[in-house]
Amino acid sequence: MSTCSTVSRDLGEPLSGTAATARTWLLLEQPGPWGVEALTSSHLDPALGRALEAAAQGTGVRIALIRRPGRHADSGTPALRHVYAAHTAPGNAWLHAATTRDPHRLLDLDFAALGRGDHSTFCSALDGRPHTGDPLALVCTNGKRDRCCALLGRPLATELAASGVEGTWEVTHLGGHRFSPTLLVLPYGYAYGRAEAHTVKEILHGVREGRIVMEGCRGNSAWERPGQAAELAVRTAVGEYAADALAIVRTEGSPSGWEVTVAHADGRQWRVVVAQGASVPPRPESCGASVLGSPARMDVVAVRELPNTTALAS
């Protein structure tokens, strides 16, 4: 049976520059089944879901629901829910955790502050604390959005949890169904596609060391898609895998092409030319699509180090 993910894989569609964009992620535990729009079509109060969507609009915060891997029968409202907030900008990446009995308390958060990377509102409103456990491995499993997420994501999440990966959660939506199984790793916010359990374990081991694994990487959610592709291209060109080493400082151009300036923490900078193309031949962008599409792709045309940007040796 052909699916959007098998077609994408067979056509060799590139992963770079395809991650969802969010500088800050806000994750709320919600067991049970999820609908297409999970915030308003799950066992979460739909009025609360709509209010959270409105509060996050335009702030750089992306909200998703999470649940532990396993059966998702209706087990009633959980007494205590896990809540996580993660900011993904290099140099200020953090992951905080809290628990709450009343998810309506999330409306007390200052979403604009969260989007800027200020975690004080998370700490004050929810008694949040820095997360001290394993990195989070969030696997998209929402089959109501795309069957590939259920067919491929759920087995991956189950395998990771069964093998002792403590930070494994299922998540409602990461975008890019055709790259299933898709994965987001926090705190650094790098997304991965076509993930396999052994690769995920290597990725998480790298995160513990502050290092990025490039295999299957779609990009850092802190950046828009041209920036995602540019950053990964620089990492590949210079062999730089430290998570906080690179940042996007400027993106100039039009929807057809950009010049992206990538800066290293040591002062070096690169100018990266990124062109937007259309994937051919047309293919299903999701299993529910009624027509074939030509999804945009980010093609890195050139990587050039800029002169006189290297910081003085310490």
Side-chain angles (χ1 to χ4, degrees):
M1 177 179 62
S2 178
T3 63
C4 65
S5 60
T6 58
V7 172
S8 176
R9 185 187 295 268
D10 290 346
L11 291 174
E13 186 176 352
L15 294 167
S16 176
T18 66
T21 301
R23 293 182 69 83
T24 302
W25 292 83
L26 180 62
L27 309 169
L28 171 64
E29 183 179 6
Q30 178 56 62
W34 298 330
V36 174
E37 301 296 337
L39 278 176
T40 54
S41 55
S42 67
H43 291 167
L44 184 70
D45 176 2
L48 172 60
R50 287 190 291 271
L52 289 171
E53 288 177 335
Q57 183 71 32
T59 65
V61 178
R62 183 168 177 140
I63 306 173
L65 303 182
I66 57 174
R67 63 190 176 196
R68 288 297 189 185
R71 298 180 65 247
H72 305 129
D74 185 351
S75 56
T77 301
L80 195 65
R81 303 169 190 252
H82 289 81
V83 186
Y84 296 97
H87 190 64
T88 61
N92 187 34
W94 49 259
L95 173 61
H96 278 52
T99 56
T100 184
R101 297 182 183 277
D102 180 10
H104 289 81
R105 292 180 62 192
L106 272 66
L107 293 175
D108 295 331
L109 295 170
D110 182 338
F111 283 83
L114 280 177
R116 294 192 301 268
D118 179 356
H119 51 66
S120 60
T121 178
F122 189 81
C123 298
S124 61
L126 297 173
D127 195 25
R129 296 288 186 271
H131 176 66
T132 57
D134 290 339
L136 301 189
L138 307 167
V139 182
C140 185
T141 63
N142 191 354
K144 289 296 178 66
R145 291 194 71 98
D146 193 285
R147 62 180 176 176
C148 285
C149 298
L151 291 173
L152 301 174
R154 286 182 185 172
L156 174 62
T158 299
E159 181 178 356
L160 291 172
S163 64
V165 179
E166 296 293 335
T168 304
W169 292 89
E170 298 186 9
V171 68
T172 46
H173 185 46
L174 297 177
H177 317 294
R178 63 192 183 280
F179 304 123
S180 295
T182 58
L183 173 84
L184 177 72
V185 178
L186 296 175
Y188 296 119
Y190 284 84
Y192 291 83
R194 303 176 188 137
E196 298 180 3
H198 70 277
T199 306
V200 175
K201 292 176 183 178
E202 180 185 352
I203 292 166
L204 295 174
H205 179 73
V207 169
R208 295 185 191 98
E209 299 178 343
R211 176 172 50 84
I212 300 306
V213 170
M214 296 294 291
E215 182 181 352
C217 192
R218 300 173 61 193
N220 186 334
S221 73
W223 315 126
E224 298 293 335
R225 292 182 176 182
Q228 295 172 14
E231 185 215 340
L232 294 181
V234 171
R235 287 191 180 278
T236 299
V238 303
E240 178 57 79
Y241 306 116
D244 280 338
L246 299 179
I248 306 302
V249 296
R250 186 177 301 108
T251 301
E252 300 173 311
S254 67
S256 60
W258 299 266
E259 287 192 350
V260 182
T261 305
V262 181
H264 195 288
D266 66 11
R268 287 178 291 165
Q269 292 190 357
W270 294 263
R271 184 69 46 78
V272 183
V273 179
V274 181
Q276 177 172 304
S279 298
V280 293
R283 78 284 311 275
E285 296 189 53
S286 69
C287 287
S290 58
V291 296
L292 300 181
S294 298
R297 53 184 285 168
M298 299 292 141
D299 294 316
V300 173
V301 177
V303 178
R304 179 173 62 89
E305 185 171 356
L306 300 177
N308 303 319
T309 57
T310 304
L312 294 176
S314 57

